[in-house]
Amino acid sequence: MHSSTGEELVVTALKNLPLTPDEVLRFVARLQASDVVVDAAAGIDLISALETVKCVSVATQAVVTDAVATAISNERKELGKPKAQWRSGIASQIGLARRESPNRGGTHLGLARALVHEMPHTLARLKAGELNEWRVMILARETACLTVDDRRTIDERLCADPATLAGAGDRTIEGRARALANELDAASQVKRRAKAYAARRTSTRPAPESMGFFTVLTSMEKSVCMWATLRRDADTIINSGGDTRTRDQIMADLVFERVTGASAAQGPPVTVDIVISDSTLLAGGDTSAYLHGYGEIPSDVARQLIRDALDDAQGNETHVALRRLYAHPKSGALTAVESTSRGFPTALGRLIDLRDRTCRTPWCDAPIRHHDHIRPHSAGGKTSAENGAGLCAACNYAKEGEGWTAEARRDKRNARHRYRLISPTGHTYDSSAPPMPVVELYNSRIENVMITGLFDDGAA
């Protein structure tokens, strides 16, 4: 009895103390140093307890995120900044702190504001470990188009009593939230559909074995219509005989042909950049190549793609060009590129694209949209490879916000390009350009000495 009372007193005392980063990190160190529990029953209890820790951590992150955003915006308001600048760049700071992209930072910021200001019962269930982050995200998403009052009504109906959603899975929670939203405001679902349709887009992402997914996000009726049309035409080709492809293969080829206007056998009708070392291309080396816009690909695949393109060039309009890149053989730092250019405004922009590959902001893999001056041009920054960085639009706009600074870093000669971003709170985040696919050592020692001497002036 005495022990139980003592534990309660300790918990009460801790509640009155502010949570500090050092305190959290001490707990993390305890987890890192702990031994694995062998007993199965105790192990299950530990798994459950750790899941509760995750949920409580997410809830605490949400509260802190909202507090940080409020503090920053209030400070700017008191300084007399324009209203449009009160929240500028905050999502990027949240994303960097969570080691995620600015886009994800905006998602977490929006969720935090909803939980703290509009969904207190959902936040309470999260703090109690009864809902995880994804299920809380579902509730926030399904009520996003409602008025604040209607959202609070659903929050109370579903989450005020812990028993209401006890044992409910993702689809059950989604269905119940959507049913209540329809009941309270059917017109909101029309708004949701219009908003979702406005976000229609295409995207591509890598798949295993040097394959890729090409995705179209559009309305359900259009997606079903496209799929049905492809299936119908594929069946027609199969029924005509003489084609050894499967239905799925034919449908995939038809998509390519109808989007590009070229047959699948002709290959891509636009510029496709493959970065490959000279020894891999010409001497059968095994260093990975890089397909711009996709990622690393095996050397055999790269050579096959180049062979196919050369075969297509015989008697067709396919144009194959070789552009030499100069990279340091040890660090892989891209130092120069031939000035001959096609399809890009400048050779410098092409060099930055090939060097950086994706947005240089840490944890952001978005495509490059802007060639940014690390040190602003207005502050005397040069238009050069060293002072340039490839950024997505969101990161570039965030960097231009109040309090953000950046600088190019070079720790040693011939090092890969390094970029340091400093947030308004003084936190620093470093980003290094990926290495080029080069051979580090040649067979001849003399060749190694000669090739290294070519790069004495530094790297890009």
Side-chain angles (χ1 to χ4, degrees), residues 269-342:
V270 295
T271 299
V272 176
D273 289 321
I274 297 177
V275 182
I276 186 171
S277 70
D278 52 359
S279 62
T280 300
L281 175 62
L282 303 175
D286 56 5
T287 303
S288 293
Y290 178 79
L291 178 61
H292 193 58
Y294 176 87
E296 303 290 339
I297 60 175
S299 56
D300 287 342
V301 173
R303 285 190 291 266
Q304 185 62 51
L305 290 174
I306 294 170
R307 279 195 295 267
D308 291 345
L310 290 171
D311 290 342
D312 290 337
Q314 302 295 325
N316 295 317
E317 296 181 357
T318 303
H319 177 64
V320 179
L322 177 67
R323 182 190 302 274
R324 287 176 292 183
L325 307 179
Y326 300 92
H328 192 272
K330 292 184 178 179
S331 66
L334 182 62
T335 59
V337 62
E338 280 189 326
S339 60
T340 303
S341 118
R342 178 168 64 90

Side-chain angles (χ1 to χ4, degrees), residues 337 339 341 343-353 371:
V337 62
S339 60
S341 118
F344 284 84
T346 64
L348 179 59
R350 177 180 283 272
L351 184 146
I352 292 174
D353 287 340
H371 298 140

